[in-house]
């Protein structure tokens, strides 16, 4: 037994278990992990191999003889009747029957809904009244005394022993925490989730901890998208009995929030955490579902009917990314896997407190499953639940303050993440300035990742992504970067082929996107072929406008252009999937001239603006947003209509300074400047 295991058994005796034992028995017994581990913690909390072996056999025997399978419920009821008293393992929930002035218990698997339970047992284990607990229960059969007996209750709970923690001693945990270093404690928490911490890098450990933040922090919104097989939903399904995984994504407002006909609150009021598996499939049968979800994610409350309801459940969204992150960043944004009604809703994603990069977490492999000791799952989940009653959201105020570029939602998100991680790593509230700095930087990265994607979706509204924090003592400002913030560059450095150019403008979806235009001019008879725009009529008209103007005004560009001896093949590539653009005429005209003259455009140049058949230049709509997309795409030179000069004041000065900007007055002027012809 290594040193960490020995310390864990010493200070948390009876509350830890060897995780490989769970795995062995779990494979043959379909019981919740937290039930299994509680029994293992009772009978196998030792380092003696023989004692462990005996303990495992004892647990197996108990499960075989007493665990109630739902399909054997009637057989067990018969045994209770025949024997008069019988011991079962089941989950029971208690409610008060005020009409009869008695407590009644409901069995989860046995199917009994009105068993009599004595007041003393309910008072001893109050958790029976709040969600219920798994117990070893002695059930007796109540024989009828005579025909005059009032409504008889056949089943009576004689005694019970909880096999979940009936209560949580946080003081004992705080005391135990003092004996471990930060690194040891993080390893213990990760091993308790069933993962071998020594096989993970430092940042991977932090990601595993982040997955647990929704379980310790009220109303926390987390998004994790990444490759398949990284265990994204494991913690919400297996580790905590206080969270629910909504698989398949199909749900209703009544189920999730409030059922108006039954006057019952939904999942957000019954669970600590509601996790949506496979976000691509999220689908509300009600039209107002997403709007109510947005309200709840922002404030922790929602309105149904005449009243407003509050709840504390955190929201977790997990799903798969089908492309590589690089491709996704170039062509779209990191929230792209969400369903269409959410995918471009900046208000919805602005409510996310953290974006966990699932691609940085390793895929589950046998060597990642731990064989070491960790907390029994029930102890871990109760620790999580109890910590929800505390807050450390003001923890950073003592040493740091956040930069000016963070708005109120950003600040709330960062504070919540800091609070959650402090609860996990320093539950007793004992931490240094350096400890907090580490947590704060991690929190800022996750929120900035959200903001970077919002910038792609919502434009200049989310321009302020340069997150920073200031040291209260030294007043030094530290800026936080995101590995993906560059997003890859759509526009490569270096010279392009003649006839190739880039255009940035609004697509048919309403989003601003980047387009690559490629023109090839082989020998022919003056035919003009278009590809890449599908059946979009307006885009085809814009390209035909460009070609007709090109044919009519070629001599003003160069006398060497001969449109009768060549065919022109024009292809449009919509690099960000925003739909065909109807304003692409001028850029297409420049590409046609470039191909005819066999002269490439200037390096890293983007053409903005459009033209009519008469050569009238239209100014650029939403100049600031368009230039932001230019910057994100990798443009360094911008060709801008002179008519857009009046809008320059709307562009932040630090963004405008990133480009070498040339103005043009006419289509011919645009060609000369694009090709660098004086």
């Amino acid at each position: 037994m290594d040193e960490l295991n020995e310390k864990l058994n010493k200070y948390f005796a009876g509350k830890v278990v060897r995780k490989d034992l769970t795995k062995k028995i779990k494979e043959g017994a379909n019981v919740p992990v937290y039930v299994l581990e509680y029994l293992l913690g009772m009978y196998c909390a030792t380092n003696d191999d023989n004692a462990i072996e005996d303990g495992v056999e004892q647990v197996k025997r108990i499960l075989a003889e007493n665990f109630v399978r739902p399909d054997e419920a009637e057989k067990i009821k018969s045994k209770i009747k025949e024997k008069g008293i019988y011991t079962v393992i089941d989950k029971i929930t208690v409610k008060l029957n005020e009409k009869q002035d008695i407590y009644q218990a409901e069995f989860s698997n046995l199917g009994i809904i009105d068993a009599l339970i004595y007041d003393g047992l309910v008072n001893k284990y109050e958790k029976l009244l709040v969600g219920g607990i798994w117990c070893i229960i002695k059930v007796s059969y109540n024989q009828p005394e005579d025909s005059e007996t009032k409504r008889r209750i056949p089943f009576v709970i004689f005694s019970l022993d909880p096999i979940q923690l009936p209560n949580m001693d946080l003081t004992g945990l705080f005391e135990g925490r003092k004996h471990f270093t930060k690194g040891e404690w993080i390893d213990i928490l990760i091993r308790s989730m069933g993962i071998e911490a020594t096989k993970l890098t430092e940042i991977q450990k932090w990601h595993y901890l982040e997955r647990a933040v929704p379980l310790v922090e009220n109303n926390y919104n987390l998004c994790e998208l990444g490759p398949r097989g990284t265990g994204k939903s494991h913690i919400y399904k297996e580790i905590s009995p206080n969270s629910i995984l909504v698989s398949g994504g199909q749900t209703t407002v009544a189920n999730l929030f409030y059922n108006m006909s039954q006057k019952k609150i939904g999942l957000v009021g019954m669970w600590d955490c509601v996790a949506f598996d496979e976000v691509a499939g999220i689908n509300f049968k009600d039209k107002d579902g997403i709007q109510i979800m947005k309200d709840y994610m922002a404030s922790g409350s929602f309105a149904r009917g005449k009243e407003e309801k509050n709840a504390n459940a955190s929201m977790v969204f997990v799903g798969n990314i089908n492309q590589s992150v690089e491709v996704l960043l170039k062509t779209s944004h990191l929230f792209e896997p969400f369903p269409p009604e959410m995918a471009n809703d900046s208000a919805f994603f602005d409510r996310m407190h953290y974006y966990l990069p699932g691609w940085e977490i390793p895929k589950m492999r046998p060597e990642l499953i731990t064989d070491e000791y960790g907390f029994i799952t029930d102890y871990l989940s109760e620790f999580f639940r109890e910590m929800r009653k505390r807050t450390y959201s003001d923890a950073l105020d003592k040493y740091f303050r956040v930069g000016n570029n963070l708005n109120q939602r950003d600040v709330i998100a960062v504070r919540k993440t800091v609070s959650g991680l402090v609860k996990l790593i320093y539950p007793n509230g004992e931490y240094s300035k350096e400890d907090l700095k580490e947590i704060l930087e991690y929190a800022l990265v996750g929120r900035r990742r959200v903001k970077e994607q919002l910038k792609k979706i919502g434009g200049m509204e989310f321009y302020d992504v340069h997150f920073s924090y200031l040291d209260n003592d030294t007043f030094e400002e530290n800026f936080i970067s995101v590995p993906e913030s560059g997003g890859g560059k759509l526009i490569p450095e270096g010279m392009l082929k003649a006839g190739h150019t880039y255009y940035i403008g609004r697509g048919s979806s309403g989003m601003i996107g980047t387009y690559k235009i490629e023109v090839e001019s082989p020998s022919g008879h003056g035919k003009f072929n278009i590809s890449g725009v599908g059946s979009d009529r307006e885009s085809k008209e814009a390209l035909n406008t460009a070609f007709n103007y090109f044919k009519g005004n070629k001599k003003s560009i160069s006398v060497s252009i001969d449109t009768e001896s060549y065919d022109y093949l024009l292809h449009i590539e919509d690099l960000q999937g925003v739909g065909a653009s109807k304003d692409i005429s001028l850029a297409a005209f420049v590409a046609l001239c470039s191909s005819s003259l066999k002269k490439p455009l200037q390096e890293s140049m983007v053409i903005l603006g459009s033209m009519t058949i008469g050569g009238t230049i239209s100014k650029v709509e939403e100049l600031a947003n368009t230039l932001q997309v230019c910057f994100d795409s990798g443009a360094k030179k911008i060709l801008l209509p002179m008519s857009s000069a009046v809008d320059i004041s709307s562009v932040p000065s630090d963004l405008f300074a990133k480009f070498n900007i040339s103005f043009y007055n006419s289509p011919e002027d645009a060609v000369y400047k694009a090709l660098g012809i004086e």
Side-chain angles (χ1 to χ4, degrees), residues 251-260 264-270 276 284 288-297 301-304 309 311 315:
T251 188
T252 62
V253 171
N255 178 47
L256 193 57
F257 295 105
Y258 190 73
N259 191 319
M260 291 177 70
K264 282 176 66 178
I265 197 158
L267 298 177
V268 295
M270 295 162 64
F276 292 89
F284 278 97
D288 58 346
I290 289 173
Q291 191 55 49
I292 294 173
M293 184 184 270
K294 284 186 337 194
D295 290 346
Y296 176 74
M297 288 167 70
S301 62
F302 55 92
R304 289 290 280 161
K309 300 284 179 185
M315 290 273 197

Side-chain angles (χ1 to χ4, degrees), residues 138-154:
K138 285 185 178 177
V139 188
S140 63
Y141 193 75
N142 185 16
Q143 301 282 356
E145 292 175 5
D146 56 63
S147 58
E148 299 297 317
T149 306
K150 291 181 183 177
R151 182 177 179 271
R152 185 176 63 86
I153 299 174

Side-chain angles (χ1 to χ4, degrees), residues 297-361:
M297 288 167 70
S299 62
S301 62
F302 55 92
R304 289 290 280 161
K306 294 179 181 177
E307 50 188 323
E308 190 169 72
K309 300 284 179 185
N310 293 300
N312 293 322
S314 297
M315 290 273 197
V316 177
F317 302 87
V318 299
N320 299 321
I321 287 178
N322 296 316
Q323 303 156 291
S324 72
V325 176
E326 290 76 20
V327 170
L328 208 59
L329 286 161
K330 282 184 179 181
T331 60
S332 182
H333 51 80
L334 292 178
F335 289 118
E336 193 260 347
F338 277 79
E341 55 269 30
M342 295 177 180
N344 290 316
D345 187 346
S346 57
F348 177 78
F349 295 124
D350 198 18
R351 288 154 168 79
M352 293 291 179
H353 296 132
Y354 202 95
Y355 189 120
L356 189 61
W359 53 90
E360 293 182 6
I361 294 175

Side-chain angles (χ1 to χ4, degrees), residues 582-593:
K582 62 180 176 52
D583 299 320
I584 204 162
S585 50
L586 183 90
F589 171 66
V590 173
L592 286 162
C593 293

Side-chain angles (χ1 to χ4, degrees), residues 21 41 53 60 79 132 178 224 235 271 278 306 310 331 355 373 403 417 440 452 467 487 548 560 592-593 621 659 675:
L21 301 178
E53 203 168 312
K60 284 181 178 177
K79 282 188 177 181
K178 292 176 180 176
E224 181 183 350
I235 190 170
W271 299 89
E278 299 301 332
K306 294 179 181 177
N310 293 300
T331 60
Y355 189 120
Y373 282 81
T417 305
L440 175 58
E452 288 281 355
F467 282 14
N548 290 331
S560 64
L592 286 162
C593 293
E621 300 294 329
F659 305 108
L675 303 180

